[in-house]
Amino acid sequence: MAEPGKIESEEARAARAAARARRSRAAAEASEEQALEELTEKVVFINRSSKVVKGGRRFSFSALIVTGDKRGRVGVGMGKAGEVADAIRKGGELARAHMVQVSLKDATIPHEVVSHYDGARILLRPASPGTGIIAGKSVRAVLESAGVKDVLTKSLGSRNAVNVVKATLDALQQLRLREDIYQSRGLPLKTKAGQPAPPPPPTETGPVTETGGVTATATATT
């Protein structure tokens, strides 16, 4: 027969383990809720389609949703359902599941970029602080969700909301910072303006000759 003290100690250990598990689950749920609260969700476009069946029409809805944390992560999702609320919910879930990281430079983009998607063609250009987002509804939703505050844009092709949003997302994914480009090529980062540049490599010089009073130095290139 087990001793009473030993039984109580085992029960206490089990109770403490259960309490720790509950606290860890609560902390995980709280962190997940906080992450979801930080995300912004924008409804860009809702489309209604109908199918003629025996006895009347059957309607279905599709919703284009853009989700982002305004710190460089953004995603796009298209939800389809028989009700508008269900379509928006499905689109938000898909957008959160397919979020991508984009490269930003302060409140704007690092360089100009042009992107194509089907018939849509989008041009993005960096802008000075205080310019704001000069863009239409669809492009603005993606840029605001990504965290861009100053940018110049132009839609040069189709106005279809789905194609414009996907072309804008593709343009953001093409952005690269200067540091990333130099690192990928294995090159040292260039010095900033105002700092002395490294000395040029030495060259091999030949004999000095005089031609018509002008001194010329023959330089041998390798």
Side-chain angles (χ1 to χ4, degrees):
M1 183 175 181
E3 298 179 0
K6 187 175 181 181
I7 296 175
E8 292 178 359
S9 62
E10 291 178 355
E11 292 178 353
R13 284 196 296 271
R16 287 196 296 270
R20 284 195 297 271
R22 285 194 298 269
R23 285 196 297 269
S24 63
R25 285 196 299 269
E29 292 175 358
S31 62
E32 184 177 355
E33 291 177 358
Q34 184 178 2
L36 291 177
E37 289 176 359
E38 293 177 354
L39 297 177
T40 61
E41 188 173 285
K42 297 179 182 294
V43 180
V44 180
F45 180 73
I46 295 178
N47 183 51
R48 187 188 73 172
S49 60
S50 62
K51 179 182 179 181
V52 179
V53 296
K54 184 178 180 179
R57 294 182 178 179
R58 182 175 299 171
F59 294 99
S60 62
F61 300 88
S62 60
L64 180 63
I65 310 297
V66 177
T67 302
D69 61 356
K70 296 187 176 182
R71 291 194 297 270
R73 295 181 69 241
V74 63
V76 176
M78 171 74 80
K80 298 180 181 181
E83 299 293 337
V84 176
D86 294 337
I88 293 175
R89 177 181 55 81
K90 289 182 179 180
E93 292 175 355
L94 290 173
R96 288 191 295 271
H98 295 87
M99 292 183 69
V100 295
Q101 184 73 34
V102 299
S103 299
L104 303 179
K105 184 179 180 182
D106 297 331
T108 185
I109 58 178
H111 56 82
E112 180 178 323
V113 63
V114 179
S115 176
H116 303 259
Y117 188 88
D118 283 350
R121 184 166 178 253
I122 299 296
L123 167 66
L124 304 182
R125 282 183 177 173
S128 57
T131 302
I133 299 178
I134 310 300
K137 175 185 176 182
S138 303
V139 180
R140 178 185 295 271
V142 180
L143 295 176
E144 286 182 349
S145 300
V148 181
K149 297 181 181 179
D150 302 303
V151 68
L152 302 172
T153 72
K154 183 66 177 177
S155 178
L156 304 171
S158 170
R159 296 185 180 181
N160 181 277
V162 178
N163 292 341
V164 170
V165 166
K166 292 187 177 181
T168 306
L169 182 62
D170 181 68
L172 291 177
Q173 290 183 275
Q174 294 179 27
L175 297 175
R176 299 178 67 191
L177 296 174
R178 186 179 65 164
E179 295 81 0
D180 298 335
I181 296 174
Y182 274 71
Q183 184 178 2
S184 64
R185 296 179 181 177
L187 300 174
L189 188 63
K190 288 186 177 180
T191 57
K192 296 182 180 179
Q195 295 182 356
T203 58
E204 299 179 2
T205 57
V208 178
T209 60
E210 294 185 1
T211 306
V214 179
T215 302
T217 304
T219 303
T221 60
T222 58

